[in-house]
Structures are given as structure tokens and as C-alpha cells.
Amino acid sequence: MFIPELYNLFLQFPSIQTDSRKIKKGDIFFALKGDNFNGNAFAAKALEDGAAYAVIDESQYATDDRYILTNDVLTTLQLLSHHHRLQLDIPVIAITGSNGKTTTKELLIAVLSAKYKTYATEGNLNNHIGVPLTLLKIKQDAEIAIIEMGANHIGEIASYCKYANPDFGLINNVGKAHLEGFGSLEGVKKAKGELYDYIRKFDGTIFRNADLDYLEKMSQGIQKQITYGTSNAQVIGRAIGDDTMLKVVILTSGMEVQINTQLVGAYNLPNVLAAVAVGHYFNVDIDTIKKALENYTPSNSRSQLIEKGSNKIILDAYNANPTSMKLALENMASLQAENKWLLLGAMKEMGEESVAEHQSLVDLAIQLGFQNVILTGKEFEATKHNYIWFATSSEVKDYLSENKVEHATILIKGSRGSKMEVALEAF
Ligand code: ATP
Ligand code: MG
């Protein structure tokens, strides 16, 4: 079936489902393949459960005209999302980068939805399936859309741009994340830079952090740029005070306000400034921006502040890589607190540099003078230090349940695979 025909069906049945267990009446089921499953095999069940159509790519499953046979279901989904995108006459903002994409996206949603009907990536659905599904969820009443794009290989962002056609691009930063797939930091730059390449080619606009010199280099040749940062930018803001919660003053004339966020960590400053810059560009007035940003509270273990008994816990167990770990440690070091603890889980997907990166992190903890540190995971096993080490976070929990920590400020951070949130149960 050709995409325009399928698109007509989609207009009648605009809800797409890729999980056969979640089918609702009138969904179109897309039978994707994974490493361990073949969606084609679930198409009959999806139809039985109420799906209007099932898009499949193995002919033996097509037993009646509710089956739509394609060459490849995933490609069909992506092409359909592109077709849909072309019908939408709205600004589309794409966000990528190594750290802080989801946080920045959520802040942008907060700010833009105060004025516009805003559609955006739900949660962290930022991959080759999540991006097209996000596009296909955008309804006719949309006034603006924000798409998070994640990548762990060269070429991915370029391919997402081909069907999402962003008019605006925002690269948060380029750090050491997913080094396994990218090979090196240069590889990460190239991969994230594919967003700028697309914007450059189609004369779009970028929102750029002026504090990061490499972004300026990467953005050469892009005519329309809105900059934000701590100095020398169109939107200038700085972090003030040393509270656990980030406070920001915006110093750009006409926008002088203080924003008391509910975000932990100075590393959220660029995320906040990005949201101010985007909001300002789209004519959201500064008081509305302030209110939206002050009301936003993060969830899903992303830099949450949790008070338990006499302890203040910064839970950041959603992901970790050398760049975000470094910033989190520096942030802890800068806090005015007496009894500081670090419960650090291993950083995953580090490839060949894993041992060296874990050692650098330990060295940084030593250098910053942290005394109470618990390292978790085999990736730390070979590192040199005098800290406590456990293989798993449940051992950390057991240890802390027996050796109570009180009146402390505690950072819990690690890659999702390290499951550091388990340690929280000890408090
Ligand atoms: P993912 O790759 O999982 O989609 P993401 O880029 O969407 O991650 P977030 O989920 O927003 O990132 O944030 C994850 C963690 O990254 C935060 O909890 C924080 O520790 C760190 N972080 C957030 N913003 C920044 C930033 N601007 N610079 C460095 N680290 C950051
Ligand atoms: Mg994310």
C-alpha cells in the first residue's frame, strides 16, 4: 500500500499502537520486530482485540483485508510520520545532546504550553520508533511541537531529521555518553552535529548555548542563531546562591527576573536558559516563563530532591556518564552542607574507556575531598581508592540499613542499569 492511502486510513483511525497487549478499539497496529519478538505473529491477536488494521511485513500472516502488507513495517511507520509532518504547518523544535534532553524538553513544554497548544515527546521516546510515534500523535490543533532525539550511533539524528523536518534545533551539549556506539568524543560531535547539518541545509534556526565553544564551531554557516549563556549571549542568566535548588537570575534587559526552580544542580542552568530563550523567541512573556519554570518539578529519578528523616537525598539514578557525573560531583562539592555522601553506581556503555573513566571519577571524588563515598558495580572494582565498594545496589542498601546515616546530604547517581534507586530504601 502506498503511504497516501495508508495516511487516509490513519486520518480515520488516528491512534497507532505497536504493543499488541495495549490495543484499544480502532487502533492501527504496527507489527514491529524486535530482537526477541516478531510483531507479525501478534497481528491476529491485535485485530481480535479491536484493532481496525494491522500493518505487517510477512505475507503469510495476511489472511484478510484488515492486514496491510508492506515491505517493512518500521520504514512504513517512519514514512507515514513524515507524510503527517508535511501536513502540519507548525514550528517543530528538535532537541538532542548528550545530557539533559528530556529535562530541557520538559522545561520547553512547561513554557510553550502556557501560550500554545504544544505536542511533545512523551517521556523518553526518543529513538527510531519513538520519534515517528511522537510525530503521529500530533493533532490538527497543534501550534508547536518539540521532539527529543536520542542517538547512540552516527547517522541516527540525520535520519530522524529526514522525517521530522525540524525548523528549529537545539543541541544541549556534547559529552562522553554512549562511547561504545560512537567510538570517540569526535564521533559524538559528528552524530549530534547532524541536527545542525540539517538546520544549516534548510536554513532553519538554532538555539545555542554560547558558553560551549565547540557548539559555536559546530554551528558555523547557520545564519539564524539565538544564543543563551552566562555571558556574551542574547539571553543571559546566571545561577545564584548555594541552595540545593537552582536559582537563576536572567540579566537580559527587558527580562530581568529571578527564577527559583525546583531543579537540583547547577548543571540545570543551561536547560533553564534554553527554555527562557525559546519561550522569549516565541513571544511568551517573561512572567509567564518564570511561573512555568518555577512550577516544574522533575520526576522519574531525574535530579529529584527527596527528604527522608534527617537526610536530604538527591536522587539521580536515571542515567549517568562521565560528563554528568563530573557536574553532579562538582555540584555536591559546591553545596553548603556538613555531612555529604556519594552513592555512585557504575556508568554503563563506556566501551574501552570504561576503566579509565571510572578511575577519573574516583580521582575527582578524592580531589574534591569527599570522604563518605560508596562505589557500586564491577566497573569500579579495579579502581584505586579507599572508599567502600559493593557489587550491587542491594548490598549498598543492606550496608546502609545497618550503618545508619543521619543529617546528611546524599547524592545517589548511576546509570539506569546500576539500579541505584534501590539504595534509597535504606533511608
Ligand atoms: P537520555 O539520553 O536518557 O534521554 P537525557 O539527555 O534526556 O537522557 P535527562 O534525562 O534530561 O537527559 O537528564 C539525565 C541526567 O543528566 C540528569 O539527571 C542530570 O544528572 C544530567 N544533566 C541534565 N542536564 C544536564 C546538562 N545540561 N549538562 C550535563 N548534565 C546534565
Ligand atoms: Mg531523555
Side-chain angles (χ1 to χ4, degrees):
M1 180 178 281
F2 294 114
I3 294 298
E5 283 173 79
L6 181 59
Y7 191 67
N8 281 336
L9 289 183
F10 168 71
L11 292 178
Q12 291 169 56
F13 300 97
S15 169
I16 285 177
Q17 183 51 265
T18 59
D19 185 339
S20 61
R21 293 161 301 186
K22 295 187 184 155
I23 289 290
K24 292 184 306 323
K25 198 171 162 31
D27 286 349
I28 300 183
F29 175 65
F30 273 71
L32 295 171
K33 289 192 176 77
D35 291 336
N36 305 310
F37 65 91
N38 177 359
N40 287 272
F42 301 101
K45 177 86 172 74
L47 290 169
E48 202 180 295
D49 290 349
Y53 292 95
V55 179
I56 60 171
D57 51 17
E58 291 183 20
S59 57
Q60 73 267 30
Y61 292 95
T63 48
D64 64 48
D65 57 9
R66 293 174 303 162
Y67 291 90
I68 298 169
L69 185 62
T70 62
N71 287 333
D72 182 74
V73 172
L74 177 61
T75 309
T76 304
L77 182 72
Q78 293 166 344
L79 292 175
L80 185 69
S81 76
H82 181 229
H83 193 85
H84 183 53
R85 163 66 182 112
L86 294 177
Q87 320 302 314
L88 299 166
D89 190 16
I90 56 165
V92 171
I93 306 171
I95 300 183
T96 191
S98 298
N99 295 298
K101 296 180 290 297
T102 298
T103 309
T104 303
K105 178 208 70 182
E106 295 291 331
L107 295 174
L108 255 58
I109 295 175
V111 166
L112 292 173
S113 61
K115 185 170 168 129
Y116 302 101
K117 182 70 191 169
T118 306
Y119 284 82
T121 303
E122 285 172 21
N124 201 34
L125 296 173
N126 64 14
N127 67 8
H128 57 293
I129 299 167
V131 173
L133 287 177
T134 300
L135 289 167
L136 287 163
K137 281 199 177 145
I138 302 174
K139 304 275 179 257
Q140 295 302 329
D141 62 348
E143 293 176 308
I144 198 159
I146 309 159
I147 314 283
E148 174 175 340
M149 297 182 174
N152 44 25
H153 291 98
I154 301 271
E156 271 177 289
I157 301 290
S159 77
Y160 303 161
C161 287
K162 269 195 200 143
Y163 47 86
N165 297 163
D167 314 281
F168 294 86
L170 196 162
I171 301 178
N172 259 336
N173 46 49
V174 177
K176 293 178 177 172
H178 305 292
L179 284 182
E180 246 165 41
F182 291 126
S184 64
L185 191 59
E186 277 314 304
V188 190
K189 263 190 198 160
K190 188 166 182 303
K192 307 293 176 190
E194 289 166 2
L195 177 56
Y196 281 176
D197 295 342
Y198 180 90
I199 297 288
R200 188 184 294 108
K201 188 165 170 194
F202 292 97
D203 196 27
T205 302
I206 59 169
F207 296 99
R208 174 169 65 78
N209 183 343
D211 293 341
L212 302 176
D213 291 340
Y214 58 80
L215 288 181
E216 183 179 1
K217 278 212 192 90
M218 287 165 66
S219 70
Q220 270 168 20
I222 298 177
Q223 302 302 324
K224 294 180 256 173
Q225 305 203 10
I226 313 295
T227 54
Y228 55 89
T230 53
S231 61
N232 294 325
Q234 283 155 272
V235 174
I236 295 174
R238 304 214 179 105
I240 51 164
D242 49 20
D243 290 354
T244 325
M245 295 295 187
L246 172 69
K247 289 194 167 77
V248 179
V249 281
I250 303 297
L251 300 162
T252 305
S253 73
M255 288 205 284
E256 279 144 17
V257 293
Q258 177 171 331
I259 302 172
N260 301 332
T261 75
Q262 304 189 57
L263 298 163
V264 178
Y267 49 78
N268 277 303
L269 175 66
N271 307 341
V272 169
L273 296 182
V276 174
V278 171
H280 184 60
Y281 179 88
F282 286 103
N283 299 314
V284 182
D285 68 80
I286 188 65
D287 291 330
T288 308
I289 294 175
K290 170 183 159 75
K291 214 194 274 164
L293 293 175
E294 291 190 337
N295 282 336
Y296 174 73
T297 49
S299 56
N300 291 339
S301 315
R302 274 187 200 88
S303 316
Q304 270 175 294
L305 182 67
I306 300 170
E307 309 223 5
K308 278 202 162 192
S310 61
N311 294 313
K312 269 190 181 178
I313 301 167
I314 300 171
L315 179 64
D316 194 350
Y318 180 76
N319 75 10
N321 51 53
T323 311
S324 71
M325 277 286 202
K326 179 168 183 282
L327 289 170
L329 262 56
E330 287 169 352
N331 182 59
M332 274 296 277
S334 74
L335 297 181
Q336 290 290 343
E338 285 297 315
N339 185 18
K340 297 183 194 177
W341 281 76
L342 304 179
L343 311 187
L344 303 180
M347 303 175 286
K348 304 290 183 189
E349 279 190 65
M350 295 305 304
E352 280 173 9
E353 301 187 32
S354 185
V355 176
E357 290 295 352
H358 284 85
Q359 184 64 56
S360 304
L361 180 63
V362 171
D363 293 345
L364 178 66
I366 297 168
Q367 185 201 325
L368 292 172
F370 289 105
Q371 316 222 316
N372 307 314
V373 179
I374 301 183
L375 305 171
T376 313
K378 64 173 172 28
E379 290 83 347
F380 278 115
E381 202 174 2
T383 56
K384 292 185 197 66
H385 56 83
N386 291 320
Y387 297 139
I388 306 169
W389 175 85
F390 289 109
T392 65
S393 57
S394 62
E395 289 166 64
V396 177
K397 179 188 79 180
D398 294 344
Y399 173 83
L400 290 171
S401 301
E402 281 175 26
N403 302 276
K404 283 283 175 204
V405 170
E406 307 278 2
H407 303 285
T409 301
I410 304 157
L411 172 72
I412 304 183
K413 185 167 171 72
S415 283
R416 202 165 343 167
S418 300
K419 300 201 177 76
M420 290 308 290
E421 66 282 358
V422 171
L424 193 63
E425 294 165 29
F427 297 98

